PDB file of all heavy atoms in Angstrom:
ATOM      1  N   LEU A 201     104.041 116.624  90.088  1.00 85.00           N
ATOM      2  CA  LEU A 201     105.462 116.887  89.884  1.00 85.00           C
ATOM      3  C   LEU A 201     105.829 116.774  88.416  1.00 85.00           C
ATOM      4  O   LEU A 201     106.625 117.577  87.899  1.00 85.00           O
ATOM      5  CB  LEU A 201     106.303 115.908  90.718  1.00 85.00           C
ATOM      6  CG  LEU A 201     106.268 116.126  92.236  1.00 85.00           C
ATOM      7  CD1 LEU A 201     107.052 115.027  92.943  1.00 85.00           C
ATOM      8  CD2 LEU A 201     106.837 117.490  92.598  1.00 85.00           C
ATOM      9  N   GLY A 206     107.267 119.808  83.572  1.00 88.00           N
ATOM     10  CA  GLY A 206     107.041 120.187  82.179  1.00 88.00           C
ATOM     11  C   GLY A 206     106.864 121.685  82.021  1.00 88.00           C
ATOM     12  O   GLY A 206     107.401 122.293  81.082  1.00 88.00           O
ATOM     13  N   VAL A 213     112.956 127.095  78.409  1.00 92.00           N
ATOM     14  CA  VAL A 213     113.131 127.200  76.950  1.00 92.00           C
ATOM     15  C   VAL A 213     112.690 128.586  76.464  1.00 92.00           C
ATOM     16  O   VAL A 213     113.345 129.199  75.619  1.00 92.00           O
ATOM     17  CB  VAL A 213     112.345 126.090  76.233  1.00 92.00           C
ATOM     18  CG1 VAL A 213     112.360 126.294  74.722  1.00 92.00           C
ATOM     19  CG2 VAL A 213     112.913 124.723  76.583  1.00 92.00           C
ATOM     20  N   LEU A 219     116.422 135.319  75.422  1.00 86.00           N
ATOM     21  CA  LEU A 219     117.829 135.710  75.496  1.00 86.00           C
ATOM     22  C   LEU A 219     118.418 135.857  74.091  1.00 86.00           C
ATOM     23  O   LEU A 219     119.084 136.857  73.781  1.00 86.00           O
ATOM     24  CB  LEU A 219     118.604 134.659  76.298  1.00 86.00           C
ATOM     25  CG  LEU A 219     120.058 134.979  76.647  1.00 86.00           C
ATOM     26  CD1 LEU A 219     120.132 136.107  77.654  1.00 86.00           C
ATOM     27  CD2 LEU A 219     120.750 133.735  77.194  1.00 86.00           C
ATOM     28  N   GLY A 231     121.828 153.388  64.214  1.00 65.00           N
ATOM     29  CA  GLY A 231     122.604 154.276  65.073  1.00 65.00           C
ATOM     30  C   GLY A 231     123.837 153.591  65.618  1.00 65.00           C
ATOM     31  O   GLY A 231     123.883 152.367  65.745  1.00 65.00           O
ATOM     32  N   PRO A 260     133.706 139.978  66.437  1.00 80.00           N
ATOM     33  CA  PRO A 260     132.701 139.449  65.498  1.00 80.00           C
ATOM     34  C   PRO A 260     131.368 139.216  66.217  1.00 80.00           C
ATOM     35  O   PRO A 260     131.336 138.961  67.424  1.00 80.00           O
ATOM     36  CB  PRO A 260     133.326 138.129  65.031  1.00 80.00           C
ATOM     37  CG  PRO A 260     134.784 138.255  65.320  1.00 80.00           C
ATOM     38  CD  PRO A 260     134.905 139.150  66.516  1.00 80.00           C
ATOM     39  N   GLN A 264     130.462 138.137  70.137  1.00 82.00           N
ATOM     40  CA  GLN A 264     129.679 138.969  71.046  1.00 82.00           C
ATOM     41  C   GLN A 264     128.495 138.173  71.601  1.00 82.00           C
ATOM     42  O   GLN A 264     128.160 138.288  72.780  1.00 82.00           O
ATOM     43  CB  GLN A 264     129.159 140.207  70.312  1.00 82.00           C
ATOM     44  CG  GLN A 264     130.223 141.184  69.865  1.00 82.00           C
ATOM     45  CD  GLN A 264     129.621 142.409  69.204  1.00 82.00           C
ATOM     46  OE1 GLN A 264     128.611 142.945  69.656  1.00 82.00           O
ATOM     47  NE2 GLN A 264     130.233 142.865  68.119  1.00 82.00           N
ATOM     48  N   GLY A 270     127.017 133.527  77.673  1.00 85.00           N
ATOM     49  CA  GLY A 270     127.772 132.928  78.763  1.00 85.00           C
ATOM     50  C   GLY A 270     127.699 133.754  80.035  1.00 85.00           C
ATOM     51  O   GLY A 270     127.507 133.222  81.133  1.00 85.00           O
ATOM     52  N   VAL A 288     122.853 144.990  86.034  1.00 91.00           N
ATOM     53  CA  VAL A 288     122.112 144.438  87.176  1.00 91.00           C
ATOM     54  C   VAL A 288     121.934 145.506  88.253  1.00 91.00           C
ATOM     55  O   VAL A 288     120.862 145.607  88.881  1.00 91.00           O
ATOM     56  CB  VAL A 288     122.841 143.207  87.749  1.00 91.00           C
ATOM     57  CG1 VAL A 288     122.164 142.728  89.019  1.00 91.00           C
ATOM     58  CG2 VAL A 288     122.878 142.083  86.727  1.00 91.00           C
ATOM     59  N   GLY A 313      88.195 145.060  89.722  1.00 88.00           N
ATOM     60  CA  GLY A 313      87.673 144.191  88.659  1.00 88.00           C
ATOM     61  C   GLY A 313      86.880 143.020  89.197  1.00 88.00           C
ATOM     62  O   GLY A 313      85.816 142.678  88.668  1.00 88.00           O
ATOM     63  N   GLY A 317      82.995 142.939  88.695  1.00 86.00           N
ATOM     64  CA  GLY A 317      82.675 141.846  87.774  1.00 86.00           C
ATOM     65  C   GLY A 317      81.680 140.864  88.352  1.00 86.00           C
ATOM     66  O   GLY A 317      80.725 140.445  87.679  1.00 86.00           O
ATOM     67  N   LEU A 327      70.876 147.740  84.649  1.00 85.00           N
ATOM     68  CA  LEU A 327      71.523 148.992  84.271  1.00 85.00           C
ATOM     69  C   LEU A 327      72.973 149.025  84.759  1.00 85.00           C
ATOM     70  O   LEU A 327      73.873 149.447  84.022  1.00 85.00           O
ATOM     71  CB  LEU A 327      70.743 150.178  84.865  1.00 85.00           C
ATOM     72  CG  LEU A 327      71.336 151.573  84.599  1.00 85.00           C
ATOM     73  CD1 LEU A 327      71.392 151.849  83.100  1.00 85.00           C
ATOM     74  CD2 LEU A 327      70.533 152.651  85.329  1.00 85.00           C
ATOM     75  N   LEU A 337      84.942 148.034  78.814  1.00 87.00           N
ATOM     76  CA  LEU A 337      85.359 147.826  77.420  1.00 87.00           C
ATOM     77  C   LEU A 337      85.957 149.100  76.831  1.00 87.00           C
ATOM     78  O   LEU A 337      86.946 149.047  76.090  1.00 87.00           O
ATOM     79  CB  LEU A 337      84.162 147.370  76.587  1.00 87.00           C
ATOM     80  CG  LEU A 337      83.680 145.939  76.819  1.00 87.00           C
ATOM     81  CD1 LEU A 337      82.364 145.694  76.090  1.00 87.00           C
ATOM     82  CD2 LEU A 337      84.730 144.934  76.355  1.00 87.00           C
ATOM     83  N   TYR A 340      89.427 149.768  78.525  1.00 84.00           N
ATOM     84  CA  TYR A 340      90.399 148.729  78.161  1.00 84.00           C
ATOM     85  C   TYR A 340      90.932 148.939  76.744  1.00 84.00           C
ATOM     86  O   TYR A 340      92.045 148.525  76.423  1.00 84.00           O
ATOM     87  CB  TYR A 340      89.754 147.351  78.292  1.00 84.00           C
ATOM     88  CG  TYR A 340      90.721 146.209  78.096  1.00 84.00           C
ATOM     89  CD1 TYR A 340      91.831 146.069  78.930  1.00 84.00           C
ATOM     90  CD2 TYR A 340      90.529 145.279  77.085  1.00 84.00           C
ATOM     91  CE1 TYR A 340      92.712 145.027  78.750  1.00 84.00           C
ATOM     92  CE2 TYR A 340      91.422 144.231  76.905  1.00 84.00           C
ATOM     93  CZ  TYR A 340      92.504 144.106  77.739  1.00 84.00           C
ATOM     94  OH  TYR A 340      93.391 143.077  77.557  1.00 84.00           O
ATOM     95  N   THR A 368     103.073 167.184  87.173  1.00 82.00           N
ATOM     96  CA  THR A 368     103.082 166.708  85.784  1.00 82.00           C
ATOM     97  C   THR A 368     103.951 165.477  85.603  1.00 82.00           C
ATOM     98  O   THR A 368     103.824 164.771  84.598  1.00 82.00           O
ATOM     99  CB  THR A 368     103.586 167.813  84.847  1.00 82.00           C
ATOM    100  OG1 THR A 368     104.880 168.240  85.294  1.00 82.00           O
ATOM    101  CG2 THR A 368     102.648 169.006  84.844  1.00 82.00           C
ATOM    102  N   GLY A 369     104.843 165.201  86.517  1.00 81.00           N
ATOM    103  CA  GLY A 369     105.703 164.032  86.377  1.00 81.00           C
ATOM    104  C   GLY A 369     106.674 163.913  87.526  1.00 81.00           C
ATOM    105  O   GLY A 369     106.692 164.725  88.462  1.00 81.00           O
ATOM    106  N   GLY A 374     111.279 166.894  96.003  1.00 77.00           N
ATOM    107  CA  GLY A 374     112.599 167.168  96.557  1.00 77.00           C
ATOM    108  C   GLY A 374     112.509 168.018  97.811  1.00 77.00           C
ATOM    109  O   GLY A 374     111.633 168.872  97.958  1.00 77.00           O
ATOM    110  N   GLY A 375     113.408 167.768  98.743  1.00 72.00           N
ATOM    111  CA  GLY A 375     113.471 168.554  99.958  1.00 72.00           C
ATOM    112  C   GLY A 375     112.542 168.100 101.063  1.00 72.00           C
ATOM    113  O   GLY A 375     112.497 168.730 102.131  1.00 72.00           O
ATOM    114  N   VAL A 385     105.400 161.600  97.671  1.00 89.00           N
ATOM    115  CA  VAL A 385     105.457 160.480  96.716  1.00 89.00           C
ATOM    116  C   VAL A 385     104.046 160.011  96.362  1.00 89.00           C
ATOM    117  O   VAL A 385     103.747 159.734  95.191  1.00 89.00           O
ATOM    118  CB  VAL A 385     106.287 159.320  97.299  1.00 89.00           C
ATOM    119  CG1 VAL A 385     106.194 158.083  96.397  1.00 89.00           C
ATOM    120  CG2 VAL A 385     107.748 159.729  97.453  1.00 89.00           C
ATOM    121  N   HIS A 388     102.530 162.315  93.822  1.00 90.00           N
ATOM    122  CA  HIS A 388     103.038 162.062  92.476  1.00 90.00           C
ATOM    123  C   HIS A 388     102.522 160.732  91.913  1.00 90.00           C
ATOM    124  O   HIS A 388     102.504 160.543  90.693  1.00 90.00           O
ATOM    125  CB  HIS A 388     104.571 162.037  92.488  1.00 90.00           C
ATOM    126  CG  HIS A 388     105.208 163.386  92.609  1.00 90.00           C
ATOM    127  ND1 HIS A 388     105.259 164.074  93.806  1.00 90.00           N
ATOM    128  CD2 HIS A 388     105.809 164.177  91.698  1.00 90.00           C
ATOM    129  CE1 HIS A 388     105.886 165.218  93.623  1.00 90.00           C
ATOM    130  NE2 HIS A 388     106.221 165.311  92.354  1.00 90.00           N
ATOM    131  N   SER A 418      74.412 126.415  87.750  1.00 68.00           N
ATOM    132  CA  SER A 418      74.805 125.125  88.324  1.00 68.00           C
ATOM    133  C   SER A 418      73.785 124.636  89.349  1.00 68.00           C
ATOM    134  O   SER A 418      73.125 125.430  90.032  1.00 68.00           O
ATOM    135  CB  SER A 418      76.184 125.239  88.983  1.00 68.00           C
ATOM    136  OG  SER A 418      77.155 125.660  88.041  1.00 68.00           O
ATOM    137  N   VAL A 459     104.166 144.668  85.101  1.00 76.00           N
ATOM    138  CA  VAL A 459     105.567 145.054  85.274  1.00 76.00           C
ATOM    139  C   VAL A 459     106.217 145.296  83.917  1.00 76.00           C
ATOM    140  O   VAL A 459     106.980 146.247  83.731  1.00 76.00           O
ATOM    141  CB  VAL A 459     106.332 143.964  86.060  1.00 76.00           C
ATOM    142  CG1 VAL A 459     107.827 144.268  86.088  1.00 76.00           C
ATOM    143  CG2 VAL A 459     105.788 143.857  87.475  1.00 76.00           C
ATOM    144  N   LEU A 477     113.735 153.873  82.397  1.00 90.00           N
ATOM    145  CA  LEU A 477     115.115 153.474  82.137  1.00 90.00           C
ATOM    146  C   LEU A 477     115.235 152.785  80.776  1.00 90.00           C
ATOM    147  O   LEU A 477     116.202 153.000  80.039  1.00 90.00           O
ATOM    148  CB  LEU A 477     115.593 152.541  83.251  1.00 90.00           C
ATOM    149  CG  LEU A 477     117.074 152.143  83.240  1.00 90.00           C
ATOM    150  CD1 LEU A 477     117.967 153.366  83.434  1.00 90.00           C
ATOM    151  CD2 LEU A 477     117.349 151.107  84.333  1.00 90.00           C
ATOM    152  N   PHE A 494     114.969 144.052  78.621  1.00 89.00           N
ATOM    153  CA  PHE A 494     114.091 143.205  77.817  1.00 89.00           C
ATOM    154  C   PHE A 494     114.001 141.802  78.404  1.00 89.00           C
ATOM    155  O   PHE A 494     112.910 141.218  78.505  1.00 89.00           O
ATOM    156  CB  PHE A 494     114.620 143.155  76.381  1.00 89.00           C
ATOM    157  CG  PHE A 494     113.825 142.281  75.459  1.00 89.00           C
ATOM    158  CD1 PHE A 494     112.581 142.681  74.989  1.00 89.00           C
ATOM    159  CD2 PHE A 494     114.319 141.050  75.047  1.00 89.00           C
ATOM    160  CE1 PHE A 494     111.848 141.878  74.130  1.00 89.00           C
ATOM    161  CE2 PHE A 494     113.592 140.238  74.200  1.00 89.00           C
ATOM    162  CZ  PHE A 494     112.354 140.649  73.734  1.00 89.00           C
ATOM    163  N   LEU A 495     115.136 141.279  78.813  1.00 89.00           N
ATOM    164  CA  LEU A 495     115.153 139.948  79.436  1.00 89.00           C
ATOM    165  C   LEU A 495     114.393 139.953  80.753  1.00 89.00           C
ATOM    166  O   LEU A 495     113.641 139.013  81.056  1.00 89.00           O
ATOM    167  CB  LEU A 495     116.603 139.516  79.656  1.00 89.00           C
ATOM    168  CG  LEU A 495     116.816 138.142  80.304  1.00 89.00           C
ATOM    169  CD1 LEU A 495     116.256 137.038  79.421  1.00 89.00           C
ATOM    170  CD2 LEU A 495     118.307 137.903  80.565  1.00 89.00           C
ATOM    171  N   VAL A 511      99.867 126.855  90.162  1.00 80.00           N
ATOM    172  CA  VAL A 511      98.855 127.046  91.205  1.00 80.00           C
ATOM    173  C   VAL A 511      97.510 126.477  90.780  1.00 80.00           C
ATOM    174  O   VAL A 511      96.761 125.932  91.612  1.00 80.00           O
ATOM    175  CB  VAL A 511      98.724 128.550  91.538  1.00 80.00           C
ATOM    176  CG1 VAL A 511      97.490 128.822  92.389  1.00 80.00           C
ATOM    177  CG2 VAL A 511      99.967 129.031  92.269  1.00 80.00           C
ATOM    178  N   LEU A 514      96.309 123.079  91.937  1.00 74.00           N
ATOM    179  CA  LEU A 514      96.013 123.031  93.372  1.00 74.00           C
ATOM    180  C   LEU A 514      94.594 123.508  93.661  1.00 74.00           C
ATOM    181  O   LEU A 514      93.994 123.079  94.648  1.00 74.00           O
ATOM    182  CB  LEU A 514      97.035 123.888  94.135  1.00 74.00           C
ATOM    183  CG  LEU A 514      98.509 123.510  93.957  1.00 74.00           C
ATOM    184  CD1 LEU A 514      99.397 124.456  94.725  1.00 74.00           C
ATOM    185  CD2 LEU A 514      98.744 122.067  94.385  1.00 74.00           C
TER     186      LEU A 514
END
Side-chain angles (χ1 to χ4, degrees):
L201 290 176
V213 172
L219 188 69
Q264 294 183 41
V288 174
L327 178 61
L337 287 171
Y340 187 60
T368 56
V385 172
H388 285 76
S418 302
V459 173
L477 187 63
F494 178 74
L495 180 63
V511 168
L514 302 178

